[in-house]
Amino acid sequence: MRKTSVRLTAAVLTAALTGTVAWTAPAHASALPAVPPAAAGPNEITGYPRQNVLPVWPDNPTDASIPIGVTPYDEIAPKLNRLQAASKRVSARVAGRSSGGYDLYAVTVTAPETRQEARQQEEWKRLLEEDPVRARTDPRLLADYKTPLFVNANIHGNEWEGTDAALRVIEEYATSTDPAVTRLLARNRLVFNITANPDGRVAGTRANDAGYDLNRDLTIVSQPETNLIRELIVDTKPIITLDLHGYVNPTLLHPSTPPHNVNNEYDLYIKHGLPNALAIEEDLRALGYAETQRARIPFRDDAPGVWDDFPPIYVPSFAMLQSSIPYTIEAPLNPRGGNLTPQERVRRSGINTDVHEVAIKTSLRYIQDHRAEVLHDQAEVYRRGWAGEPLRDIPDGYVPGWGPEDNYRTVFPRSYVIPSGRGQHSEPAAARLVDLLIGSGGRVWRAKHDFRADGRSYPAGSYVVDLHQPKRGLVNSLLEPGADITDRVGDLYAGPAAWSQGLTWGATVDTLWDDLPDVQLTRVYDGVAAGSLPSADGDLRLDLQDAADLLVVNSLIRKGLRVHRLADGSVAIPAVPGSRQLLKDEVRAHGVTFERAPAGWRGTPLDEIVVGYLGTVEERDTLRDLGFPTRAVTPTTLADTLTADVDVLLVASNLNLSTLTASNRAALEAFLARGGGVVGLGTAGANFGNAASLLTVTATAGPSLASGVANVVNRGGPVTAGAVPHSFISQPVWFTHLGAGVTIEQSYAADPLLSGWWAASGAGTNGQAAAANQASVVRRVSDGGNGVVLFGTDPTFRLHPKGLQAQLGRALLWAAQP
């Protein structure tokens, strides 16, 4: 546990930090480069209020909110409509649709603004990022800029009360005649995501309708709900971000324990994050409830690794990389469970709503009390980025409790190049990565001419990422490999302990430590994969290195073209009359690159492959991204779902043969007897392969929290030929004692972990040393003719490792027709 020698109040800590402890930031070193204007021009900006009549949803008596005593989803739109009708301070809109089809509501609360005033606010907001030195010395901006606060409520559907606290604050500020509220709204914009997960709110589930925990998706952005959260944070540039949750008793609120994300300007966060947390704790105590007399602040109260802010997958950790002061607020009292009376549920949800209301109001007060400093420090994050300054070495004691265990820093390269042309592993992957960087608030340029950098040649059109940019921490967090933190921390709140879309999304990304390419650059606002098709007729080859390539293969098969799998896992398409236009359409739709097929090629004809999957939504949606028709399979439904049209069984969760009913066992045996293929993930796949006598391996799993980016050696073959030398792991698995006929396609390198966390547990036989040089992907044709592939890596984890999806797709093609 952390210990501090002095019990500090928020006021004492703030005074200390604004006095001798804080250093003076160096002046802006150089003029800013010209930056193209943002997409929304001044003529598109209107004043406030911006009111809309929200569609009203039908009454739903089964809404899980009702027994908790909070606002049912169908009552949210009518309430917001009434508030808009009653007050010019409230602007509400439908900002998107959830996975399950519900409206997502974004609400802004502020004093009315003319169009000219709103345009001025937008110019100031942009100026903070574009020219931070000028912005923070502009007397008009400092006096009149409306500092933003962002509240994200109910991201976990069965943690309801954040929505009700938001509605309560909106109603109070909409209708109050208190002059203090009038002044408050004249100097601030409050932006609310009223219910970030209406699917879960109605159903009483943590996840959305698609089955995803949205608070693990912020740098993957696979769900419509997280796309909106990202848009609101990037657009709002909030000084403080609040993500309202439940239930941890006593109330838990950030700042967090180490490890900290190595790309953050953590000194500029913790100097505000800790005193505001202490102020929230004081105000919670003032509520008078026995349950709110103390908060749990992990930075102060917990050991390293208990509740960290390391991966940028959470709303707060993503917001910090956007130069916001973020908080997870976990209200204390769980109103769920069958042993509670209706009165107790309502009592608990009422206290939780009060807790979240305090967090909102205290944070807003902190912004007002420290307005000049928080504006200066938000701009300082951007200034350091533009100037390319190294991260600060934060001295021990910078705030009470800060020590060597907190000091996580990276070294920024000067730039990155994402090549185009032959130097690029996958053009669709590169375009996808560029879209992620830009959508997350980063900046990307393209070279107008060929150039050389760091001894390599690059063609015109290659992307250049200049890290002298305001949100360099966010960009670098996505592109850098990461670090092995195994020896620094004995625990993690959750994985992944490394992510690196620069290594795991399938694109080639080159790091230039000292150089910015000397070539004319044009800023771009989306990624483009043009693809190509040889000009002359003839047989064509498509190397399957991205999900887009698999989508094309499955599309061509469905359209009746003959497609053949070659020995290296690529495919050949014979030239036939009428095929060229179909291929052009696929190039245009997916940006894939065809090349001439090798002379005298021979391959295995491919039919449409139907995949039965035994797993989670992650397997379901990865298969969708690859274009395979699917059937959901469970141990109890094999007889109904493992029908004659299923060609391959994807085993990602346990299938215990000894517990199957006679009919389900018969269906499985019939599938295997007709030569059905099997692709297995992790120990579940290996256990099934052994039990069904398809192959013999011993599978060993690392600790459950071991995760990150692994170094791998690809041996070639239909699954891994041409694959990148890195893979994503989440509880890595390796295969030893390989039986007859088992071929190793990929193995862990001698140093298996490039970045992440992977300690040994138990007897110490499942650490990195035990996995070194051992097989990570194997295949075999069983004695009965079944194609079998096992993965010890994780190609489906939360839809994150895009670069591994093609390996899974190639495995399915081979297993179906080995």
Side-chain angles (χ1 to χ4, degrees):
M1 300 286 280
R2 292 177 179 272
K3 298 183 184 298
T4 56
S5 59
V6 180
R7 177 90 162 88
L8 285 157
T9 66
V12 170
L13 180 55
T14 300
L17 285 172
T18 55
T20 58
V21 177
W23 52 70
T24 301
H28 192 40
S30 61
L32 295 172
V35 178
N43 292 334
E44 300 172 38
I45 297 171
T46 62
Y48 280 93
R50 302 172 183 175
Q51 296 182 328
N52 303 276
V53 177
L54 306 177
V56 175
W57 286 72
D59 181 66
N60 181 3
T62 66
D63 190 318
S65 308
I66 296 172
I68 307 302
V70 293
T71 305
Y73 176 79
D74 57 69
E75 292 183 10
I76 294 174
K79 186 175 187 68
L80 292 174
N81 284 336
R82 288 193 298 272
L83 290 172
Q84 289 186 103
S87 173
K88 293 184 177 181
R89 299 169 173 173
V90 180
S91 301
R93 63 187 174 98
V94 174
R97 286 288 184 92
S98 71
S99 174
Y102 287 104
D103 290 333
L104 299 169
Y105 305 119
V107 177
T108 300
V109 179
T110 193
E113 299 171 17
T114 66
R115 181 183 178 190
Q116 182 56 43
E117 288 170 337
R119 290 174 63 178
Q120 180 62 75
Q121 291 295 324
E122 184 65 25
E123 289 172 9
W124 281 334
K125 183 174 67 175
R126 294 179 186 179
L127 188 67
L128 278 164
E129 184 175 329
E130 303 294 346
D131 193 344
V133 171
R134 183 156 68 92
R136 70 189 187 192
T137 56
D138 184 327
R140 284 191 60 211
L141 184 154
L142 295 176
D144 296 332
Y145 176 60
K146 289 186 170 182
T147 43
L149 173 78
F150 175 56
V151 177
N152 191 60
N154 196 205
I155 191 170
H156 290 149
N158 59 357
E159 298 167 10
W160 292 270
E161 295 90 346
T163 293
D164 288 76
L167 291 171
R168 184 189 291 177
V169 171
I170 292 168
E171 182 169 20
E172 177 184 344
Y173 288 172
T175 58
S176 174
T177 58
D178 185 344
V181 172
T182 302
R183 290 192 298 272
L184 186 78
L185 297 183
R187 293 173 63 79
N188 296 274
R189 279 187 186 163
L190 284 63
V191 178
F192 298 88
N193 189 15
I194 297 296
T195 168
N197 184 2
D199 301 351
R201 184 177 188 84
V202 172
T205 58
R206 180 182 178 90
N208 70 347
D209 185 69
Y212 290 91
D213 184 334
L214 299 173
N215 202 36
R216 304 292 187 273
D217 195 52
L218 260 295
T219 55
I220 304 164
V221 201
S222 68
Q223 303 300 300
E225 299 91 340
T226 46
N227 186 62
L228 174 60
I229 295 168
R230 181 179 71 170
E231 286 180 3
L232 291 172
I233 293 174
V234 171
D235 179 67
T236 300
K237 292 187 178 65
I239 297 292
I240 288 179
T241 295
L242 301 173
D243 197 31
L244 305 183
H245 289 256
Y247 305 98
V248 176
N249 195 353
T251 299
L252 181 142
L253 49 104
H254 281 192
S256 294
T257 66
H260 307 300
N261 188 294
V262 297
N263 286 279
N264 280 309
E265 310 284 349
Y266 216 84
D267 60 307
L268 300 176
Y269 161 68
I270 196 67
K271 66 186 290 190
H272 301 295
L274 184 55
N276 186 47
L278 294 170
I280 294 172
E281 181 181 48
E282 291 178 8
D283 289 349
L284 290 177
R285 191 176 297 115
L287 286 173
Y289 301 116
E291 297 93 336
T292 62
Q293 292 308 296
R294 179 174 172 83
R296 174 182 164 193
I297 301 173
F299 176 83
R300 179 190 67 187
D301 300 327
D302 292 342
V306 171
W307 199 288
D308 61 81
D309 53 13
F310 188 61
I313 57 176
Y314 313 110
V315 171
S317 54
F318 176 79
M320 197 186 305
L321 289 167
Q322 300 287 335
S323 192
S324 187
I325 304 163
Y327 294 86
T328 291
I329 310 291
E330 297 274 355
L333 301 176
N334 192 341
R336 305 183 298 244
N339 60 338
L340 300 177
T341 65
Q343 294 80 9
E344 178 60 13
R345 293 182 196 276
V346 172
R347 187 188 79 85
R348 292 187 177 196
S349 65
I351 293 175
N352 292 337
T353 302
D354 290 346
V355 165
H356 286 318
E357 180 185 3
V358 164
I360 295 170
K361 290 182 174 179
T362 304
S363 297
L364 191 56
R365 187 181 73 226
Y366 187 88
I367 295 173
Q368 303 323 295
D369 291 347
H370 307 281
R371 174 183 169 85
E373 189 180 8
V374 295
L375 275 172
H376 177 282
D377 289 344
Q378 185 177 61
E380 174 66 4
V381 172
Y382 303 143
R383 188 204 66 77
R384 292 179 186 178
W386 282 120
E389 295 180 358
L391 290 169
R392 299 293 196 267
D393 182 7
I394 306 175
D396 293 350
Y398 177 67
V399 298
W402 184 273
E405 72 278 7
D406 290 294
N407 215 338
Y408 282 78
R409 292 181 296 157
T410 193
V411 176
F412 295 114
R414 181 60 182 86
S415 62
Y416 292 95
V417 176
I418 304 174
S420 63
R422 291 191 174 276
Q424 179 51 250
H425 182 254
S426 169
E427 295 278 2
R432 183 188 304 115
L433 179 60
V434 168
D435 283 340
L436 177 72
L437 294 170
I438 294 169
S440 300
R443 302 177 184 221
V444 181
W445 292 261
R446 280 193 108 166
K448 298 190 73 172
H449 312 286
D450 297 351
F451 65 95
R452 285 185 62 80
D454 201 22
R456 293 180 287 247
S457 296
Y458 297 97
S462 294
Y463 299 101
V464 175
V465 183
D466 181 356
L467 269 198
H468 286 196
Q469 61 171 290
K471 295 180 181 178
R472 61 161 179 189
L474 180 281
V475 172
N476 201 56
S477 190
L478 298 179
L479 293 182
E480 73 172 353
D484 184 346
I485 62 169
T486 305
D487 294 335
R488 290 208 61 183
V489 63
D491 194 11
L492 288 172
Y493 175 67
W499 42 95
S500 187
Q501 282 86 340
L503 292 179
T504 63
W505 273 35
T508 301
V509 181
D510 292 336
T511 304
L512 304 184
W513 284 103
D514 302 313
D515 298 325
L516 177 68
D518 184 14
V519 64
Q520 188 175 358
L521 300 174
T522 301
R523 188 173 169 189
V524 295
Y525 295 91
D526 54 45
V528 177
S532 64
L533 194 66
S535 56
D537 291 334
D539 298 348
L540 299 176
R541 174 180 178 268
L542 181 62
D543 192 11
L544 309 182
Q545 297 297 333
D546 187 77
D549 301 316
L550 271 298
L551 277 173
V552 168
V553 167
N554 282 310
S555 174
L556 294 176
I557 291 172
R558 282 193 294 273
K559 291 174 181 176
L561 264 66
R562 290 183 295 157
V563 179
H564 299 253
R565 180 178 51 77
L566 304 182
D568 66 355
S570 64
V571 298
I573 302 96
V576 296
S579 65
R580 192 164 182 83
Q581 185 57 50
L582 290 176
L583 296 174
K584 285 182 178 179
D585 292 343
E586 296 294 345
V587 169
R588 189 178 303 111
H590 300 291
V592 300
T593 298
F594 288 94
E595 58 188 37
R596 295 183 187 280
W601 63 266
R602 298 179 63 186
T604 302
L606 294 175
D607 297 321
E608 183 175 62
I609 295 170
V610 178
V611 181
Y613 69 92
L614 186 83
T616 69
V617 297
E618 296 169 358
E619 284 72 45
R620 177 197 69 192
D621 292 343
T622 300
L623 293 170
R624 175 204 63 198
D625 290 345
L626 293 167
F628 288 101
T630 60
R631 306 282 186 271
V633 176
T634 70
T636 59
T637 65
L638 289 172
D640 298 320
T641 55
L642 204 57
T643 51
D645 66 338
V646 174
D647 301 293
V648 183
L649 181 62
L650 176 61
V651 181
S653 57
N654 290 322
L655 180 59
N656 189 335
L657 303 188
S658 66
T659 61
L660 295 179
T661 64
S663 60
N664 287 323
R665 180 64 183 251
L668 178 60
E669 290 174 349
F671 167 79
L672 296 175
R674 65 175 184 265
V678 174
V679 174
L681 305 185
T683 55
N687 291 341
F688 174 76
N690 283 322
S693 300
L694 300 174
L695 80 176
T696 300
V697 299
T698 297
T700 304
S704 61
L705 282 176
S707 59
V709 180
N711 294 310
V712 296
V713 177
N714 295 303
R715 309 286 184 89
V719 179
T720 66
V724 297
H726 304 102
S727 196
F728 183 83
I729 52 173
S730 179
Q731 192 169 30
V733 172
W734 54 99
F735 308 111
T736 56
H737 302 98
L738 307 180
V742 176
T743 299
I744 300 175
E745 281 239 0
Q746 183 190 85
S747 59
Y748 293 107
D751 181 10
L753 188 66
L754 174 66
S755 57
W757 185 89
W758 184 352
S761 62
T765 58
N766 61 354
Q768 300 178 40
N773 300 312
Q774 301 298 340
S776 55
V777 179
V778 299
R779 62 180 165 87
R780 180 183 189 249
V781 179
S782 76
D783 295 340
N786 312 92
V788 184
V789 181
L790 300 182
F791 284 85
T793 58
D794 196 336
T796 66
F797 179 85
R798 297 180 190 155
L799 305 186
H800 166 64
K802 310 292 188 186
L804 274 65
Q805 290 179 338
Q807 294 177 37
L808 178 62
R810 291 160 67 110
L812 293 166
L813 295 180
W814 181 83
Q817 293 162 287

